[in-house]
Amino acid sequence: MSRYVMLDGPDGCGKSSQARALCEWLDGQGARVLHVREPGSTPVGEALRQLLLAKTTGALLPLTEALLFSAARAQTVLAVVAPALQRGEVVVAERGYLSTLVYQALAFEPGLDFDWVLDLQRRVHGPTLPDVIFVLDVPPAVAAQRRRWRTDDRIEARGADYHDRVRAGFLRAAASEPRAVLIDAARPFAQVQDDLRRRISEALP
Ligand SMILES: Nc1ncnc2c1ncn2[C@@H]1O[C@H](COP(=O)(O)OP(=O)(O)OP(=O)(O)O)[C@@H](O)[C@H]1O
Ligand SMILES: [Mg+2]
């Protein structure tokens, strides 16, 4: 049975490592699994990712960012995710439209109009919507600690205030999004992974 599972949350919350572990587990359960990341997982998506995350790109307007992230998303959702679901695969996606609502509408000051961004995301996704979005919630200090070994990208390099607004934005967006399930991702890795597996088993038999 095809399923579209999305992991989202602040920079360093654990999306990539939890997604990898979920894919291994799903594979072990006999599912055909496709792991995608946003922006990315298509040639144009990866090129846009490089552009969006490189510090040399400099400042962009929130509108420009929202359109570029959404362009990458359209290509990933329509050209990669939808066909995989058609083939009966389980798709595990890192990030998605909640990130655009949070980073470009809620965390920027002044940010974009939330409903306008939501409408754009509806047009990008069409009928191909995630079955569940796990929002990995961590306090900004914990996320910063988990990122301490890597060099910040263009967006991570924004100040602590921005990251506070990102965390608050995810909590708000998760509360208003029926597909979202809030996960306490400050717990040890294995506990978070067990929680995700249990919820997937319950929600997606
Ligand atoms: N629950 C956890 N407890 C402790 N460390 C964790 C936990 N989850 C992930 N980590 C570690 O935190 C670091 C960041 O995790 P990861 O790269 O998966 O986050 P991310 O959300 O994908 O980050 P980014 O937004 O930058 O892509 C990694 O070193 C990972 O091993
Ligand atoms: Mg990651």
Side-chain angles (χ1 to χ4, degrees):
M1 185 182 289
S2 61
R3 294 295 179 182
Y4 186 4
V5 175
M6 198 172 263
L7 300 183
D8 217 329
D11 302 274
C13 65
K15 297 175 294 297
S16 300
S17 42
Q18 293 293 352
R20 277 194 298 273
L22 272 186
C23 287
E24 273 174 35
W25 169 68
L26 286 162
D27 185 62
Q29 305 279 106
R32 281 194 300 156
V33 190
L34 178 71
H35 184 178
V36 297
R37 65 174 184 180
E38 284 193 36
S41 299
T42 67
V44 71
E46 292 294 335
L48 287 170
R49 179 186 189 89
Q50 255 201 324
L51 181 83
L52 282 160
L53 299 185
K55 282 186 183 158
T56 48
T57 299
L60 295 176
L61 295 170
L63 178 61
T64 311
E65 283 190 2
L67 293 172
L68 292 176
F69 277 113
S70 300
R73 178 165 306 130
Q75 195 68 25
T76 306
V77 170
L78 301 177
V80 177
V81 173
L85 295 172
Q86 284 278 324
R87 294 191 299 267
E89 297 177 13
V90 178
V91 177
V92 176
E94 289 179 41
R95 289 208 188 273
Y97 62 90
L98 274 195
S99 281
T100 306
L101 289 164
V102 169
Y103 285 77
Q104 280 73 43
L106 299 175
F108 251 119
E109 275 182 357
L112 298 176
D113 179 72
F114 187 90
D115 290 329
W116 184 86
V117 178
L118 189 57
D119 189 50
L120 176 63
Q121 302 315 306
R122 289 202 184 101
R123 284 159 200 265
V124 165
H125 275 271
T128 309
L129 284 160
D131 294 288
V132 61
I133 306 169
F134 294 113
V135 176
L136 305 185
D137 177 54
V138 285
V142 173
Q145 182 72 6
R146 288 182 188 174
R147 298 198 308 271
R148 72 192 180 285
W149 302 115
R150 37 175 105 150
T151 313
D152 279 346
D153 63 35
R154 193 181 65 92
I155 290 176
E156 287 167 349
R158 290 173 184 162
D161 284 1
Y162 185 79
H163 291 293
D164 289 348
R165 291 197 297 273
V166 166
R167 198 262 180 121
F170 269 114
L171 294 176
R172 251 181 81 189
S176 73
E177 166 58 72
R179 292 182 180 80
V181 175
L182 199 62
I183 301 287
D184 173 7
R187 293 171 295 167
F189 183 88
Q191 268 185 41
V192 178
Q193 179 66 205
D194 286 348
D195 196 0
L196 293 172
R197 291 180 187 184
R198 186 177 51 78
R199 288 169 192 266
I200 289 177
S201 302
E202 284 169 8
L204 316 173

